[in-house]
Amino acid sequence: MIYGLVIFVSAFLLFLVQPLIAKQILPWFGGSAAVWATCLLFFQSALLAGYAYADVITRWLSIKRQAMLHTALLIVAAFMMPIIVAGHWKPTGDEEPISRILLLLAATIGLPYFLLSTTTPLVGAWYWRRHRSSAPYRLFALSNFASLLALLGFPFLMEPWVGNQQIAIAWSALFGVFVVLCTIIAWQTVRHGHAVEPAASGAPQGVKAPAEGPGWLTWMTLSGMGSAMLLGVSSHLTQNISSAPLLWVIPLALYLVSFIVAFDHPRWYLRWLFLPAAAVLLPLMAWLSDSLDLAKVTPIYALGLFAVCMAFHGELARLKPGPERLTSFYLAISVGGALGCLAMAVVAPLVFNGYYELYVVLAVSAATGLFMPWGRTASWRLAGRVAAAVVLSAVVGASWQGIATYGDRVRSMERDFYGVVRTRDSQGDVVFRSMIHGAISHGGQLLREDLQMAPSTYFGPASGYGRTFSSLPEGPRRVGVIGLGAGALAAWARPGDHWVFYEISPAVVRAAKAEFTFLAKMPGTHEIVIGDGRLALERESPRQFDLLAMDAFAGDSIPTHLITREAMAAYVKHLKPDGVLVFQATNRFVDLMPAVKNLADAFGMQAVLVSDSPDFDSGPEYWLSTTDQVIVTRNKAILEAAAVREVATPIQSKPGLRIFTDDYINLVKILK
């Protein structure tokens, strides 16, 4: 049926464009997990605008005027193809990122995305106008199924094999097909929209009359809680592994599956299964919120997200009105979804100086159980509310413990678009102060006066950095560092050196200056460039660095745009012919070594791995960390220096792993 086909195609395009366009702009904004959260805010807001448009025109315009207006907008949108972001949107480093991302998305995909978002409610209303013998709610399940195919298809079927621009061109061509099909439906509805008259009773044959019950506020709340839970889980995963389409789409796919199951047929929503599952998993998610054992945490969070969204969306489906209120119902759902995204992506970072919103959404989700319709009898209602109160108490208790752990021994805490920066003191023979960005230490310092410039954490004497610095020729050096952290790498500075630190987060710079003394005490001179390091290097004239340190990999969430061929070209541009690149490749989940080797091979350089595992049992060096660092250079003297040669190991190529580019990154291939 053509109505179902149009809804299927529009939903497929609607959700394929989300990771597609976000991946295009991710390198411009530091590869931050917040980029995806901001994109989701735009997508939900555009969806709200589309649903509002559908509701307004079906209420106030005749079917012929609806067709004329919609056809005109479709034609305008067709001339905006292809959906490839213009280069002039690249930030220079001092822009406010959220507003720039929203403006960029509006200019690039605003009208096409808006029109795609109108399709499910608008075509559903047209379908109802022409075929009043059946309800169109299964079309909503169909649209979510198409969305799911697009989401899962992108990281598993498209991204590993096809470049981003090729996908964008194919998307644009399919959008042209959608324009034609949607125009045909609009004018078919004009011709045949009055062919079937409503039954005399006012309730069409085969369709139940809408039951009286909760309305807009309840619909918005249930939808908004599902949306907030989606962002909470997505942020938790992407902060700790990588901000990449693979980890964006899995939570979003689970979210969509819950819509599909809930709205396909009432028999699929089993309250006796999903409500108890949510009641068990909500406290467990709160309890594990500070765990870095992602092999255990990720499945639990995935199950928790699905169970909680099934509960919210199942209750939402139970409360759906008759088809004559179809567009209002969809509008309420979209308002709730947009508000949930707004709360998590914009309000929470402004209100909280730490990452606390996950605890809030878990607690509020549990609290909604106090208002659920638990049964027809007073005893059932009381039992349900008592059970909900127990679950809420467990979630609050576990959250309180997580918040206490999060703030334990923290001296300072600041949050910006790129994450939460904390400093923490640890007691030992000498007090050690560390900087924690997200959940991972980004350098630290011994506080005793005579030890403040001692190499520490990932930069000890036996690390790849330590061995490379000790192997460089005598004399002043020019050093570039992408990723300031605490400034701990400056322990290797010497008189006459000039160092350039590239740091995207102003909060990190403030903490490095206020809480640590590396920058103040380092010999030689230094400068700090605010903004994404790769973009800054692309803009600048060649710096002629002796060493360029890629230290944006100290955490487990990697900015993949720093390991592409285009990024490597920028690095090589700033290196002396015999200069050295050192990549921080310490990571529990992603194997960066083969990807870096591909880059080295492509530019005629050699890459070796230096691993360092300090013996914490036999020595007092609690300020050092286990590290994996890759040295990349054409300078054979560096590679043959005793400090490097005695520990360096060759890196094996990974069969089938292509060189990463801005257009092609296959994260699946390098997951450990």
Side-chain angles (χ1 to χ4, degrees), residues 204-332:
Q205 184 180 357
V207 180
K208 291 182 180 180
E212 293 296 326
W216 259 71
L217 182 60
T218 303
W219 297 337
M220 285 193 301
T221 300
L222 292 170
S223 174
M225 289 307 304
S227 174
M229 181 64 73
L230 166 65
L231 257 74
V233 171
S234 297
S235 295
H236 190 71
L237 294 178
T238 54
Q239 284 183 47
N240 289 296
I241 302 179
S242 177
S243 184
L246 174 65
L247 295 174
W248 299 337
V249 303
I250 291 175
L252 189 52
L254 292 170
Y255 173 82
L256 285 174
V257 168
S258 69
F259 264 120
I260 295 168
V261 173
F263 279 86
D264 181 65
H265 195 281
R267 66 174 174 267
W268 302 125
Y269 173 51
L270 306 174
R271 292 187 97 205
W272 60 267
L273 173 64
F274 291 112
L275 291 181
V280 170
L281 288 164
L282 279 170
L284 191 57
M285 292 166 76
W287 181 259
L288 294 172
S289 60
D290 61 344
S291 172
L292 291 179
D293 184 0
L294 294 187
K296 175 176 66 176
V297 170
T298 302
I300 290 173
Y301 267 75
L303 288 172
L305 173 66
F306 180 68
V308 173
C309 285
M310 271 305 307
F312 287 132
H313 298 154
E315 295 299 317
L316 189 61
R318 291 177 75 242
L319 298 173
K320 63 181 182 289
E324 67 277 2
R325 298 179 65 196
L326 178 77
T327 56
S328 293
F329 180 62
Y330 285 151
L331 181 58

Side-chain angles (χ1 to χ4, degrees), residues 350-598:
L350 293 175
V351 172
F352 300 130
N353 66 342
Y355 185 66
Y356 299 123
E357 56 264 35
L358 180 61
Y359 298 115
V360 174
V361 77
L362 291 173
V364 175
S365 295
T368 58
L370 297 172
F371 306 97
M372 287 271 190
W374 289 107
R376 296 182 181 276
T377 65
S379 58
W380 273 108
R381 288 194 293 271
L382 178 61
R385 285 175 173 78
V386 169
V390 171
V391 173
L392 176 59
S393 299
V395 170
V396 170
S399 297
W400 186 261
Q401 179 62 40
I403 291 170
T405 302
Y406 189 79
D408 183 39
R409 293 176 285 113
V410 168
R411 285 176 44 84
S412 66
M413 187 184 310
E414 184 180 354
R415 182 173 186 171
D416 63 11
F417 180 78
Y418 304 100
V420 178
V421 180
R422 293 173 287 163
T423 59
R424 174 181 290 162
D425 286 353
S426 303
Q427 295 296 325
D429 293 339
V430 178
V431 177
F432 182 75
R433 179 170 299 166
S434 57
M435 175 186 286
I436 303 159
H437 200 189
I440 303 296
S441 172
H442 280 219
Q445 184 176 39
L446 292 162
L447 296 189
R448 202 173 76 189
E449 182 69 24
D450 60 321
L451 294 176
Q452 287 184 9
M453 293 304 288
S456 61
T457 57
Y458 308 99
F459 316 112
S463 69
Y465 282 112
R467 293 175 183 275
T468 302
F469 274 110
S470 63
S471 303
L472 289 175
E474 294 295 324
R477 301 167 299 192
R478 296 183 64 83
V479 177
V481 182
I482 295 185
L484 171 63
L489 195 56
W492 291 100
R494 297 187 307 196
D497 284 1
H498 181 70
W499 287 48
V500 184
F501 294 95
Y502 299 91
E503 175 55 55
I504 196 169
S505 170
V508 168
V509 176
R510 286 189 287 270
K513 290 180 176 179
E515 296 287 306
F516 303 89
T517 61
F518 289 115
L519 297 177
K521 290 191 171 186
M522 67 181 292
T525 59
H526 74 273
E527 59 183 290
I528 297 175
V529 178
I530 301 292
D532 180 76
R534 174 186 156 179
L535 294 182
L537 289 173
E538 289 175 348
R539 290 192 301 267
E540 293 175 347
S541 300
R543 291 272 195 173
Q544 292 294 295
F545 290 129
D546 294 283
L547 185 145
L548 180 56
M550 304 303 304
D551 195 42
F553 303 98
D556 283 319
S557 179
I558 61 167
T560 51
H561 73 290
L562 296 180
I563 51 173
T564 66
R565 182 167 54 198
E566 293 85 350
M568 188 69 172
Y571 309 152
V572 172
K573 162 188 162 184
H574 287 274
L575 276 182
K576 290 180 178 178
D578 60 350
V580 186
L581 276 167
V582 181
F583 286 84
Q584 174 67 271
T586 310
N587 200 288
R588 292 173 298 160
F589 308 110
V590 180
D591 183 9
L592 289 167
M593 274 70 85
V596 174
K597 184 181 189 308
N598 282 352

Side-chain angles (χ1 to χ4, degrees), residues 79-249:
F79 281 99
M80 298 179 67
M81 300 298 109
I83 51 160
I84 297 174
V85 184
H88 64 78
W89 285 104
K90 280 189 179 182
T92 59
D94 56 353
E95 300 92 342
E96 194 283 310
I98 292 179
S99 59
R100 190 167 184 85
I101 290 173
L102 295 176
L103 286 171
L104 179 160
L105 293 173
T108 305
I109 62 166
L111 182 59
Y113 193 91
F114 165 78
L115 292 172
L116 288 169
S117 70
T118 69
T119 305
T120 296
L122 185 59
V123 172
W126 290 347
Y127 173 87
W128 168 242
R129 186 183 185 95
R130 185 175 178 185
H131 304 283
R132 291 180 182 255
S133 58
S134 59
Y137 279 114
R138 295 195 74 177
L139 294 176
F140 188 60
L142 175 67
S143 74
N144 283 297
F145 176 67
S147 304
L148 180 65
L149 288 181
L151 282 175
L152 296 181
F154 185 83
F156 295 111
L157 299 178
M158 301 178 200
E159 192 181 31
W161 312 106
V162 185
N164 219 48
Q165 290 209 359
Q166 293 170 291
I167 300 173
I169 291 170
W171 188 97
S172 302
L174 189 55
F175 183 82
V177 174
F178 162 76
V179 168
V180 173
L181 291 175
C182 196
T183 301
I184 290 172
I185 277 187
W187 292 101
Q188 279 188 349
T189 307
V190 172
R191 287 196 298 272
H192 304 293
H194 300 288
V196 180
E197 295 297 329
S201 64
Q205 184 180 357
V207 180
K208 291 182 180 180
E212 293 296 326
W216 259 71
L217 182 60
T218 303
W219 297 337
M220 285 193 301
T221 300
L222 292 170
S223 174
M225 289 307 304
S227 174
M229 181 64 73
L230 166 65
L231 257 74
V233 171
S234 297
S235 295
H236 190 71
L237 294 178
T238 54
Q239 284 183 47
N240 289 296
I241 302 179
S242 177
S243 184
L246 174 65
L247 295 174
W248 299 337
V249 303

Side-chain angles (χ1 to χ4, degrees), residues 638-669:
I638 295 291
L639 298 177
E640 292 172 359
V644 175
R645 187 184 67 250
E646 65 187 12
V647 296
T649 58
I651 299 171
Q652 298 300 316
S653 298
K654 193 158 194 168
L657 180 66
R658 291 160 46 190
I659 188 169
F660 287 178
T661 68
D662 287 351
D663 195 48
Y664 169 84
I665 292 176
N666 186 354
L667 185 65
V668 176
K669 272 285 194 180

